[in-house]
Amino acid sequence: DGGITQSPKYLFRKEGQNVTLSCEQNLNHDAMYWYRQDPGQGLRLIYYSQIVNDFQKGDIAEGYSVSREKKESFPLTVTSAQKNPTAFYLCASRGTSWWGELFFGEGSRLTVL
Amino acid sequence: QQPVQSPQAVILREGEDAVINCSSSKALYSVHWYRQKHGEAPVFLMILLKGGEQKGHEKISASFNEKKQQSSLYLTASQLSYSGTYFCGTENVGGFKTIFGAGTRLFVKA
């Protein structure tokens, strides 16, 4: 079945460490997204990519980095520069139309100790 | 830039109706609606495009007023399964960038 796979589901990190969250999709979608969700809050856009080898900053990109070397993969690195990284991270993808439905992964919950 | 949702929370009894609103200060091309259960991924409900159309899905429907840059989600004869947080997501023309509201928590009790 087609879908989006995020890993790991839960991750603990010590302060000062970088961590990379994986996002893989087999939907053949061009556009991919990373959102951050804090308790009781909405989804805030970190980065998005419309095509391979191209990505744009979202509203809260500071302290994060991404790459898009393959169509199916869009990993997110949470760097030590991110001041408050504990959150629920959601990856999403979108098909042919720029306004279409977003398909979400199950999310990765990052806790910084 | 983030769309504004109202109300922030609502409690219903089974069978009651609810309306959730989403408004933007910018011109919109499309509005999405999603429902999220605690700890899970958001689930797509419907999308409305510029043109003021109204859509329905069983007992859940929505409208989009492009003049006011507002969308409303209508939940009729609510069921326990409707509980969750509802988010609207918006896009400007040609934007690719989907921005979400802060969400509306809906709790349906028996």
Side-chain angles (χ1 to χ4, degrees), chain A residues 14-46:
Chain A
K14 292 183 179 179
E15 280 192 30
Q17 291 180 335
N18 291 356
V19 62
T20 297
L21 306 180
S22 170
C23 178
E24 303 278 332
Q25 55 101 355
N26 60 4
L27 299 167
N28 199 32
H29 286 172
D30 287 314
M32 297 187 74
Y33 302 76
W34 275 106
Y35 289 91
R36 169 182 171 141
Q37 187 173 29
D38 294 285
Q41 297 190 30
L43 287 69
R44 292 185 290 167
L45 184 62
I46 305 172

Side-chain angles (χ1 to χ4, degrees), chain A residues 33 35 37 94 98-99 102 105, chain B residues 34 36 41 47 91 94 96 98:
Chain A
Y33 302 76
Y35 289 91
Q37 187 173 29
R94 167 176 281 149
W98 58 264
W99 44 260
L102 285 170
Chain B
Y34 295 81
Q36 185 182 33
I47 184 170
E91 284 123 9
F96 262 104
T98 306

Side-chain angles (χ1 to χ4, degrees), chain A residues 31 33 35 37 39-43 45 48 50 57-59 88 90 94 98-102 104-106 109, chain B residues 1 29-30 32 34 36 39-42 44 47 49 87 91-102 105:
Chain A
Y33 302 76
Y35 289 91
Q37 187 173 29
Q41 297 190 30
L43 287 69
L45 184 62
Y48 63 107
Q50 299 175 32
K57 292 182 179 180
D59 299 323
F88 187 52
L90 284 161
R94 167 176 281 149
W98 58 264
W99 44 260
E101 174 188 352
L102 285 170
F104 285 91
E106 293 297 310
R109 189 169 296 281
Chain B
Q1 187 172 347
Y29 180 82
S30 56
H32 302 215
Y34 295 81
Q36 185 182 33
E40 299 179 5
F44 175 76
I47 184 170
L49 304 181
F87 293 100
E91 284 123 9
N92 304 120
V93 176
F96 262 104
K97 185 177 170 181
T98 306
I99 303 299
F100 285 87
R105 291 186 180 184

Side-chain angles (χ1 to χ4, degrees), chain A residues 13 16-19 62-65 77-83 85:
Chain A
R13 185 195 95 176
Q17 291 180 335
N18 291 356
V19 62
E62 186 176 350
Y64 300 97
S65 66
T77 297
V78 184
T79 75
S80 56
Q82 169 49 233
K83 295 180 181 179

Side-chain angles (χ1 to χ4, degrees), chain B residues 26-38:
Chain B
K26 293 194 170 186
L28 300 176
Y29 180 82
S30 56
V31 179
H32 302 215
W33 286 97
Y34 295 81
R35 177 172 59 214
Q36 185 182 33
K37 303 278 186 178
H38 182 69

